[in-house]
DNA sequence: TCCATTATCTGACTCTAGTCAGAAATTTAC
DNA sequence: GTAAATTTCTGACTAGAGTCAGATAATGGA
């Protein structure tokens, strides 16, 4: 397979070149992970658990790195107001200055890749890099079932409700009877799936059993950061084939007319519009898809 | 600058994804450098100095890695026939089997990047990766002046003469009076430049002083492995602006009609054809370019 | 209230990936 | 023939990047 050959060549060349450059620019006077950690903390700060998830670090290791940066007066941590266990790391004044310096180095690195090329080559390189970056991000997204009450599920749902409130013409307020009922969305009769990019939740979706053999898709949400990468479609396919008890022969869902990407996704994924089947006051379209058998 | 922003995003996403995958696939049961070293040795073997140059390793470190692979019976080394100092590393029978296994893992890695994508996305990813790989290779090529008698210069010239012999209709044999005269191609009156890709010589060119203020380009060669990346043009520009004593106002060169890429390069680089100016029996075209001032 | 879970931290340890100094064997230049 | 350079090797040392086993404190649910 020639594609595989191409990817191997890409892997080797890029690993070598980026390895050398990262060392040279970003790891010059400080360990590379410390630089990466400072990039992740950024100007707005981040909780330790976010940092751990994004960089894929061991909890002990990340804690020690933060202590090292604190000793250098580049970072300060304080407890999060909402949850006394969580700590938020912020860059100090000199940490922000250091981040600026790192960003300048990172820009130098980028320019050093373009400098030897002709203008035409440089333009093609940037274009191809943007495409690779986008598609590699898409290919790095992973789907996993979660407990609907877990932290990652909660984080997704908060963003989901916030988005509904922002996009529905008359806003959105979660009715008590619609609040996630843990049992419904958990096995065996249902399931909640979270999509993660480098450890961070970027989308979710759930399925529950409406009647024997009939499922309903709920709470489909994809973070704006990864829209247009086909995450919604993969999420939908994953949910349709999640094992529910009893096995599903058809799936339904409802949605609001203002969620245009979702409408398009359902229509091109084999869903056909059906009459109202529930009393959801926010729903304006109802869909159903017949499942022909599991893969 | 938006281009720089794109490259930084590329750098971060790719480093993370490839780092994780390389660890997972190729570094599973052996240090990553050992795997890389085995890839570089390949089925044909390679000298220790080649391996060091290609991977950018310290000589002590590479020697120790080879000893480790020898202890595991994966590699054997023996002196090169030509030069008693140089040693050639080969994969043993079980080393070759291990290389096959590594290549299979590397293929798995490649496929794991494509698997989550739709066929269209996969095709676009492979295309963009090939483009990035090609251009990143171009941008990784470095030019450095060398002693014309040094090993790297010799290696290039051997390949250069071999190529002339293969491409000239009636072959090529180096005349004694044309053999590299060290002084001519070395400062202050001349210079030899070698192009290197990841430490390995992939091209060369030289300039000497024909008469006060008049230079001559000699021994322009670009390895077939990097043709079409603009190496020849950059080499030529580098040579034109190398500081010679006395400073050059014009540069000449001769070439054979069978070297079509070279003819095209000279014509599009500001050289105009002039009458025969020397008695080189292999030359069929003579060119000159007026230099308008150094950058 | 109790108990399981989650988030963070500490200390002890390991392994990878090097660097550096110098020795030995060859080759090349003068 | 001798000196300088090249290639490889050995031994000693170091820094970076983690892993692992708990300890501590806060939270959420029964």
């Amino acid at each position: 397979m020639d594609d595989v050959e191409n990817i191997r060549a890409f892997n080797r060349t890029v690993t070598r070149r980026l390895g050398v450059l990262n060392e040279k620019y970003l790891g010059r006077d400080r360990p590379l992970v410390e630089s990466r950690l400072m990039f992740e903390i950024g100007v707005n700060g981040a909780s330790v658990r976010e940092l751990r998830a994004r960089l894929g670090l061991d909890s002990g290791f990340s804690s020690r790195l933060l202590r090292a940066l604190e000793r250098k007066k580049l970072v300060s941590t304080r407890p999060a107001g909402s949850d006394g266990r969580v700590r938020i790391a912020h860059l100090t004044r000199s940490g922000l200055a250091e981040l600026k310096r790192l960003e300048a180095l990172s820009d130098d690195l980028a320019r050093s890749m373009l400098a030897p090329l002709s203008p035409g080559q440089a333009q093609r390189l940037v274009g191809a890099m943007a495409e690779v970056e986008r598609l590699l991000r898409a290919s790095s997204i992973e789907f996993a079932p979660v407990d609907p009450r877990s932290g990652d599920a909660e984080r997704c749902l908060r963003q989901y409700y916030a988005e509904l409130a922002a996009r529905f013409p008359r806003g959105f307020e979660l009715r008590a009877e619609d609040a996630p009922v843990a049992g419904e969305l958990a096995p065996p009769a249902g399931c909640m799936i979270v999509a993660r990019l480098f450890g961070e939740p970027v989308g979710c979706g759930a399925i529950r059993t409406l009647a024997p053999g009939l499922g309903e898709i709920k709470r489909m949400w994809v973070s704006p950061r990864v829209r247009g990468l086909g995450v919604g479609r993969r999420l939908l396919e994953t949910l349709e084939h999640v094992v529910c008890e009893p096995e599903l022969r058809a799936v339904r869902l409802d949605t609001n007319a203002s969620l245009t990407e979702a409408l398009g996704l359902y229509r091109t994924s084999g869903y056909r519009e059906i009459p109202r089947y529930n009393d959801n006051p926010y729903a304006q379209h109802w869909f159903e898809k017949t499942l022909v058998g599991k893969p």
Side-chain angles (χ1 to χ4, degrees), chain A residues 6-44:
Chain A
N6 271 333
I7 297 182
R8 280 172 53 179
F10 172 87
N11 187 350
R12 286 175 65 182
T13 300
V14 168
T15 302
R16 255 199 276 198
R17 182 73 206 255
L18 288 189
V20 171
L21 286 181
N22 278 333
E23 280 292 306
K24 184 172 161 194
Y25 284 91
L26 304 179
R28 195 152 42 180
D29 47 5
R30 117 175 28 265
L32 209 47
V33 267
E34 285 191 11
S35 296
R36 285 206 246 268
L37 194 58
M38 290 187 65
F39 274 117
E40 289 300 335
I41 295 172
V43 288
N44 297 320

Side-chain angles (χ1 to χ4, degrees), chain A residues 70-83:
Chain A
E70 272 181 336
R71 272 197 304 280
K72 294 173 192 164
K73 311 266 189 222
L74 297 171
V75 164
S76 66
T77 58
R78 52 175 177 67
S82 53
D83 183 335

Side-chain angles (χ1 to χ4, degrees), chain A residues 9-286:
Chain A
F10 172 87
N11 187 350
R12 286 175 65 182
T13 300
V14 168
T15 302
R16 255 199 276 198
R17 182 73 206 255
L18 288 189
V20 171
L21 286 181
N22 278 333
E23 280 292 306
K24 184 172 161 194
Y25 284 91
L26 304 179
R28 195 152 42 180
D29 47 5
R30 117 175 28 265
L32 209 47
V33 267
E34 285 191 11
S35 296
R36 285 206 246 268
L37 194 58
M38 290 187 65
F39 274 117
E40 289 300 335
I41 295 172
V43 288
N44 297 320
S47 69
V48 177
R49 53 155 291 124
E50 279 176 311
L51 295 173
R52 251 188 311 133
R54 285 193 224 157
L55 292 169
L57 301 176
D58 172 88
S59 70
F61 187 37
S62 54
S63 179
R64 185 157 312 101
L65 284 173
L66 284 169
R67 287 305 83 66
L69 289 172
E70 272 181 336
R71 272 197 304 280
K72 294 173 192 164
K73 311 266 189 222
L74 297 171
V75 164
S76 66
T77 58
R78 52 175 177 67
S82 53
D83 183 335
R85 294 165 302 180
V86 176
R87 290 176 71 80
I88 310 281
H90 273 276
L91 294 177
T92 62
R93 185 175 296 271
S94 60
L96 286 167
E98 182 61 15
L99 178 62
K100 261 200 156 159
R101 203 186 63 91
L102 282 176
E103 284 180 339
L105 286 174
S106 184
D107 287 355
D108 289 349
L109 186 160
R111 275 190 290 266
S112 80
M113 293 171 123
L114 295 181
L117 300 178
S118 72
Q121 285 178 321
Q123 203 184 326
R124 289 207 302 283
L125 179 59
V126 172
M129 278 181 162
E131 181 90 336
V132 168
E133 199 270 337
R134 228 178 64 85
L135 292 167
L136 220 48
R137 209 142 32 86
S139 113
S140 303
I141 290 172
E142 292 173 335
F143 299 89
V146 291
D147 184 322
R149 289 157 306 185
S150 72
D152 278 359
E154 284 281 323
R155 272 177 278 275
C156 285
L157 292 175
R158 256 201 309 281
Q159 293 179 77
Y160 170 64
Y161 296 135
E163 183 162 349
L164 295 188
R167 291 184 66 173
F168 286 0
R170 282 176 224 155
F172 172 81
E173 204 143 331
L174 189 64
R175 298 178 302 169
E177 67 265 36
D178 274 347
V181 179
E184 264 185 6
L185 300 182
C191 183
M192 180 155 182
I193 301 275
V194 160
R196 294 197 182 85
L197 175 60
F198 299 127
E200 242 190 329
V202 292
C204 68
I207 191 161
R208 64 169 175 171
T209 309
L210 272 187
L214 179 64
E216 185 183 27
I217 304 262
K218 302 287 290 175
R219 313 192 198 296
M220 278 281 295
W221 173 76
V222 173
S223 162
R225 291 177 44 209
V226 296
R227 276 182 206 165
L229 298 179
V231 180
R233 192 170 308 269
R234 286 169 65 198
L235 201 44
L236 201 52
E237 279 165 17
T238 308
L239 287 169
E240 287 166 3
H241 295 107
V242 145
V243 178
C244 291
E245 209 60 56
E247 201 163 313
L248 301 178
R249 280 183 301 275
V251 185
R252 291 183 172 176
L253 55 85
D254 64 34
T255 191
N256 186 283
S258 64
L259 302 177
T260 49
E261 319 91 307
L263 283 171
L265 170 62
Y266 301 141
R267 292 202 170 107
T268 56
S269 294
Y271 286 78
R272 61 174 205 289
E273 203 148 356
I274 57 168
R276 172 187 280 274
Y277 69 82
N278 62 15
D279 60 353
N280 180 350
Y282 296 105
Q284 291 156 351
H285 296 274
W286 294 262

